[in-house]
Amino acid sequence: MRFIERSFKVNTTRRNEFIDITQEVEKIIKFSTVEIGDVIVYCPHTTAAITLNENADPDVVHDLLHTLEKLIPHKDSSYLHGEGNSDAHLKSSLVGVSEQILIKDGEMQLGRWQGIYFCEFDGPRGRDVIVQVRGE
Ligand code: ZN
């Protein structure tokens, strides 16, 4: 059983933004030399998230962000949290802070159109992503 953990920084540039981090995760898997196992991609933040979704048509990311914004508005007179970023906390919990992806033959078993996204909901900021690879 092999196990490695690596982290990297993501510098976001907008309040709400998805950043494709697939290549960074691929590099860590190559470095691990794990052939069969899994990888966990995790962000230790309360106003950001990790998700898998389409990386071919950028309109998909636009539509996801647009719909999250519509469902969970930035300002709401019922919010109590004094930082003014309750929407970002909600989106983080809704989307989730990690993804687990299977590895076979040294490659992530991503679908043809799937990419891994870091989801910023309260940027711009410097963020951390932690990646753990386990397997043989
Ligand atoms: Zn807050």
Side-chain angles (χ1 to χ4, degrees):
M1 174 86 169
R2 199 178 290 275
F3 172 86
I4 73 152
E5 178 179 299
R6 289 288 182 279
S7 61
F8 59 89
K9 295 262 177 213
V10 175
N11 290 308
T12 63
T13 60
R14 293 198 292 275
R15 183 156 196 275
N16 288 280
E17 179 177 26
F18 279 22
I19 294 176
D20 190 335
I21 57 170
T22 311
Q23 288 188 344
E24 283 86 344
V25 177
E26 277 169 355
K27 279 181 209 151
I28 295 167
I29 292 166
K30 289 270 171 282
F31 176 79
S32 77
T33 72
V34 163
E35 286 292 314
I36 186 145
D38 61 20
V39 58
I40 293 174
V41 183
Y42 171 79
C43 78
H45 300 292
T46 61
T47 55
I50 302 289
T51 197
L52 302 181
N53 217 301
E54 173 158 341
N55 64 359
D57 179 2
D59 288 347
V60 172
V61 164
H62 168 274
D63 293 352
L64 290 173
L65 283 169
H66 166 77
T67 304
L68 280 169
E69 196 68 22
K70 211 162 65 175
L71 291 170
I72 307 170
H74 185 186
K75 303 289 179 197
D76 183 314
S77 58
S78 299
Y79 292 156
L80 295 178
H81 180 50
E83 275 189 320
N85 61 355
S86 287
D87 61 321
H89 289 290
L90 276 159
K91 290 172 189 169
S92 172
S93 278
L94 191 68
V95 176
V97 294
S98 70
E99 287 287 351
Q100 180 182 31
I101 301 140
L102 302 177
I103 299 168
K104 194 166 103 184
D105 301 327
E107 307 272 355
M108 282 187 283
Q109 298 296 93
L110 290 171
R112 184 171 174 198
W113 308 114
Q114 277 183 316
I116 308 166
Y117 285 100
F118 180 87
C119 311
E120 176 62 81
F121 298 125
D122 195 23
R125 296 188 192 211
R127 299 292 206 170
D128 296 303
V129 176
I130 302 170
V131 177
Q132 289 187 350
V133 184
R134 294 175 297 197
E136 307 180 352

